[in-house]
Structures are given as C-alpha cells and as structure tokens.
Amino acid sequence: MKKLLYAIAISATIFTGCSDDEEETPAKVPVEGEITGDITTNRTLTFGNYTLKGLVKVQPGVTLTIEAGSTFTADQADGEDGLVILNGGKLIANGTANDPIVFTAKTKIGGQWAGIIMYGDAPIVNSATAPAPQTAVSEDGQSITYGGSNATHNGGSLRYVRVEYAGLVFNNNTREHNGFSFYSVGSGTVLENLVAYKGNDDGFEFYGGTVSAKNLISYGNADDSFDWQDGWRGQENTNWFAYQTGIANYGMEIEAKGVNNTFFPKVTNITLKRAANTATESQNEKQFDAIQFKSQGNGDFSNIFIDGYASIEAGFGSAIQVRDLATYTNQIVGGKVKLLNVRLANTPVTFLSQNSGGAFTVNAASFGANFTTSTTATGAALITGRWANVDGVNLLANL
C-alpha cells in the first residue's frame, strides 16, 4: 500500500510540475491556396502560402483581410499579376515585425509583377486652370480615373508588408507598375513598415492624395526609390530609407505636374544611400541625384542623411538637383522647399542646375533659411526583424 501511495504521489508531481504557461504551442500550419479574379464580398485569407494569379481587384464596398505571416507568389508566366484595391475597397494587411505579409515572385528577378496598387478619391492637382476637384487617368494600363475631394479616404491598413521583384513595365508612362502605387489615396489609410525590394521601376509612388507613410524601406529598385506627382501632400511621413544598388536613378523624384501650388508634403528622418558602382537605367540619361525637384515639385524635409551620390562624370550626380527654371523660381526661391538638417557623405556636389527653361544657379543662398546643414543628422530609424530581411539579406545593414 505504501508503494502504491508513493507511485501516485510521484505521478501527481509529474503532471503538476508543468503549468499551462510552460506547455509548447504547436507551430501554426499555413494553408495553401490561390487568389485570383475580383473580390466581390468581404473575405479573410488565413495564414498561408498563396499563388497570386492575374490582377486581383478588391471591389468598392469590399474588404480583403490578410492574416500576418502570409506569403503570396506571382508568376509572370501566367500573365500580369497584381493586387489592386479599387476606390471604396479596403485592404487590411497587418503583419508584424517578425511575421510580415510578403508578396514575392516565383522568378526572383525585378519586373515580374504589378505590385500593390491602391486607388482613392482624395484631392490631386494636375492642371493650373481646371477647377477642383481634379482627376486623372492611371498610368498602369488600367485607365482608371482617380482624384476627387475626399481628403480622408480610407483604403485600409498596411503594416509590415513587403513587396519583392515587382515593377512590371510594358510601356513607360502608359503601362508601368511600381512596388507600391498609391493613386489619390487619403489620410484615413494606414501605411506603416513597408518594404519595396528589387523592383524594376519605382519602389513607392504617390499620385496625389493626402495619405502619409511611416517606416519605409526602398531597397535595390531600378528607377526611383520614392517618387510622387499630382500634388501629393501627406503630412505625417517619417523614417524613409532608400538603398540604391545595381541599377537606380533618383533617391526621391519630386514633381507636381507643373502646377505652382501652395501645399506640399512633409517628411522627417530620411536616409538616402547609393552603393558604389550603381549604374543608371539609361546611359543616355545619367542623372542619379539623391533628391530631384522638377515641374513645380516642393516639400518640407528634415533630418536628412545623404551618402554615396558621387559624380560619375561632370554634370551628373549630386545631393540636390533642380531641373527647370519655373521650379527654381516658384518653389526654391519662393520658399516652398525646406531642406533642414542635411548631412552629406561621399557626395562632393551639393547642388546641380539643369537649366531647363532658362539659366539659373541653385545654391544654398537660393533657399535662404530653408536650407541648413548638420554634422549630427541621423536620418531614418527603423526596427529590426524578419520584415526587413530577404533571403538572408539584412536590409538595414547599411542604414
């Protein structure tokens, strides 16, 4: 009897020695699936590995929700793939730092698919004479009209989302895609901790609108890291990091369709870096400045670190380029461009004038008090995690 009671006591000790908190949680198994066609009713994609087939369009009034850690793979062999959120539709794609939502390509080469495209009806400006609200037609080959008066348009929430090997281009300016394309997206949309990796066109492009974006990485994209037009005016942008390597043009290409506007975007904490021996897309146009202003582009920028924009030959390569006389006169001298707390490294030429539309010389005096330098500017600050790692490459190693 004593032996039996002793065995029972030992058994009780074994079974009560581990609390519920100490039990291992079984690994979550991803589902396998395909996403294709129009999304016409609210849909949630559970954690899984999906094939992205065709231009998948989230229709107006519909919400597509994607669980953290999911992966979507495009294959150019089946045609033009991409995820499109039409005006009135919503994408809720909230990953985490260690469980990002990843969109990639079967063939890991830039230009394989169309990336993520979102449409809204926030304000744009592309004409100096047309009354508001103004509209335009998309340059992605879908010929979708964008623009409007809904400044708070809400296209959903994208957090910790990575787009790889996008930038499918058929024809420049008429049918081309970026990593992320935001057409008149409004301030109600959340864009945070996003990565555009090794696409064949721009990493991020804003076509007007009022949306802001925080904690962005544009890495190895073949055209511009960040690009905008149509009078984009997001006000709460911060922590932008561009690393240009292989082939690339501008770190930031800034324009406003030639409209002398009185509004502008605001971006704080910017790091623009260019690796040695990075080439430009075309040998006929060797421009690769860190920041380029043209067509009345403007903005308020601060805490900027620029590194590696050394001239490959006279007249090419600088920290800040102004392309045309109208932009110089109305935006730079007119006080609508602020570049505050700028630190340069390995960038011998600070200012470059292209003299389109008439001769001018841009320099620090052109900005008045709106250009200041700093020896301590830190640029972007971003957290580490799987969201910023691709195939063993730590995207923040050069930050």
Side-chain angles (χ1 to χ4, degrees):
M1 184 66 177
K2 288 182 178 180
K3 289 183 179 179
L4 177 59
L5 291 173
Y6 181 75
I8 293 172
I10 292 295
S11 299
T13 301
I14 291 171
F15 284 104
T16 60
C18 294
S19 68
D20 290 341
D21 292 339
E22 293 173 333
E23 292 179 1
E24 290 188 6
T25 301
K28 195 174 181 180
V29 179
V31 302
E32 302 288 333
E34 179 181 275
I35 176 173
T36 188
D38 292 346
I39 308 296
T40 57
T41 59
N42 292 344
R43 183 177 177 184
T44 295
L45 298 176
T46 57
F47 166 63
N49 298 318
Y50 297 89
T51 298
L52 180 64
K53 188 173 183 180
L55 287 176
V56 176
K57 297 181 180 180
V58 180
Q59 298 295 306
V62 175
T63 298
L64 173 64
T65 303
I66 300 172
E67 287 192 354
S70 297
T71 298
F72 297 80
T73 302
D75 185 355
Q76 192 177 10
D78 64 30
E80 185 177 9
D81 300 327
L83 180 59
V84 181
I85 301 88
L86 298 174
N87 181 28
K90 287 185 179 180
L91 173 62
I92 307 299
N94 292 326
T96 68
N98 286 317
D99 285 307
I101 296 169
V102 178
F103 292 82
T104 189
K106 183 178 180 180
T107 302
K108 297 184 177 183
I109 302 172
Q112 296 297 297
W113 65 293
I116 294 178
I117 306 169
M118 181 178 288
Y119 291 92
D121 53 358
I124 71 167
V125 171
N126 59 12
S127 170
T129 57
Q134 295 184 12
T135 60
V137 176
S138 65
E139 60 181 41
D140 56 5
Q142 300 186 77
S143 299
I144 293 177
T145 299
Y146 63 97
S149 57
N150 181 15
T152 59
H153 158 264
N154 182 353
S157 174
L158 281 69
R159 291 185 172 97
Y160 295 102
V161 176
R162 189 169 72 236
V163 167
E164 304 172 0
Y165 310 111
L168 178 62
V169 176
F170 294 95
N171 300 295
N172 288 332
N173 300 319
T174 59
R175 192 180 176 191
E176 63 180 15
H177 301 291
N178 309 291
F180 294 86
S181 301
F182 300 111
Y183 286 93
S184 59
V185 173
S187 62
T189 308
V190 176
L191 305 177
E192 295 179 357
N193 297 90
L194 308 181
V195 177
Y197 179 80
K198 290 195 174 181
N200 193 47
D201 204 62
D202 301 330
F204 297 85
E205 183 152 6
F206 300 88
Y207 300 84
T210 55
V211 70
S212 295
K214 301 177 180 179
N215 310 326
L216 304 186
I217 300 173
S218 183
Y219 191 105
N221 294 292
D223 193 356
D224 309 315
S225 299
F226 304 102
D227 190 349
W228 63 86
Q229 55 182 287
D230 295 326
W232 173 63
R233 61 192 86 174
Q235 294 294 296
E236 297 180 4
N237 306 281
T238 189
N239 293 324
W240 286 16
F241 171 43
Y243 187 71
Q244 298 184 295
T245 182
I247 296 175
N249 293 334
Y250 303 105
M252 295 166 61
E253 185 175 38
I254 301 168
E255 63 171 299
K257 286 291 180 69
V259 179
N260 183 12
N261 57 87
T262 57
F263 50 82
F264 43 78
K266 183 175 183 179
V267 189
T268 63
N269 309 329
I270 305 166
T271 295
L272 306 174
K273 287 192 174 185
R274 190 178 183 92
N277 302 315
T278 299
T280 54
E281 277 191 304
S282 170
Q283 287 301 302
N284 295 323
E285 186 178 357
K286 300 177 182 179
Q287 307 292 342
F288 61 95
D289 311 275
I291 305 174
Q292 181 211 67
F293 295 94
K294 67 178 181 180
S295 299
Q296 306 282 10
N298 56 23
D300 182 337
F301 312 99
S302 60
N303 188 23
I304 307 162
F305 178 44
I306 295 172
D307 184 7
Y309 291 81
S311 301
I312 53 176
E313 61 183 80
F316 299 99
S318 71
I320 301 154
Q321 181 197 142
V322 181
R323 290 294 296 267
D324 57 272
L325 178 61
T327 301
Y328 174 77
T329 302
N330 296 323
Q331 308 304 321
I332 308 298
V333 178
K336 299 174 188 175
V337 174
K338 295 181 180 180
L339 294 163
L340 305 177
N341 299 324
V342 179
R343 178 163 65 99
L344 303 182
N346 305 305
T347 306
V349 178
T350 303
F351 301 103
L352 188 62
S353 311
Q354 284 299 310
N355 296 322
S356 175
F360 63 94
T361 301
V362 61
N363 52 37
S366 305
F367 292 83
N370 289 329
F371 178 80
T372 61
T373 58
S374 170
T375 58
T376 59
T378 56
L382 297 163
I383 67 168
T384 59
R386 288 183 57 242
W387 77 288
N389 283 267
V390 182
D391 296 332
V393 177
N394 177 10
L395 307 187
L396 300 179
N398 293 295
L399 179 56

